[in-house]
Amino acid sequence: MLKSKENILKLLVLAILLVAVIFLANYLSGNEAFYKRALENRKEESYSGIVIEKYIDSSQHCTPMLRFTNNSSVSLENSFWDEVEVGDSIVKIKGLTYINLYKDSKLKVVLDYTVYFQNLIDRKSKR
C-alpha cells in the first residue's frame, strides 16, 4: 500500500513538472502565433481621416484611441498614438500592413505593423 502511494506521488510530481515545462516553453516562445494573428487583424483594417480627438478609452482597458472627422474611432498602439496630434491625417489601406501619418499634408511617420509585431516577438524572446 505504501509503495502504491509513493508511485502516485511520483506520478503527480511528474505531471506537475510536465505542465510547468510546457507552460514555460509556451511563455518563452514569445507567443508568436498571437502576434501573427494580431498582424493579420491589423492588415484587414481600413480607415482614413483627419484626427479631431485623441483619448484613452477606459472602458476598453485604457486603449489609446483616435476619433476622425467622420466620427469613426480607431485604436492604436501607444508608440504611434504618441506621435499623432489633433489635425493630423491618417491613412490605413485594407490589405497593407502600415499606416501613414500626415502632418501639414506631408508624410511624417509610417507605422509598419510587420516591423512592430516582429519587434515584440524579438523583445519577448530575449527574456
Side-chain angles (χ1 to χ4, degrees), residues 22-50:
I22 291 171
F23 175 78
L24 274 174
N26 186 39
Y27 177 77
L28 295 175
S29 72
N31 210 350
E32 195 168 337
F34 171 80
Y35 292 121
K36 286 183 178 184
R37 280 192 313 274
L39 175 61
E40 288 304 311
N41 288 340
R42 288 298 196 180
K43 196 173 175 182
E44 291 304 308
E45 294 178 336
S46 175
Y47 49 85
S48 65
I50 298 171

Side-chain angles (χ1 to χ4, degrees), residues 56-71:
I56 303 293
D57 189 345
S58 58
S59 68
Q60 293 296 321
H61 309 287
C62 294
T63 303
M65 302 287 292
L66 298 177
R67 185 175 321 280
F68 299 114
T69 51
N70 64 3
N71 212 27

Side-chain angles (χ1 to χ4, degrees), residues 92-104:
K92 167 60 180 84
I93 299 170
K94 184 177 180 174
L96 300 180
T97 61
Y98 57 87
I99 304 171
N100 291 323
L101 172 63
Y102 297 90
K103 295 178 177 281
D104 298 321

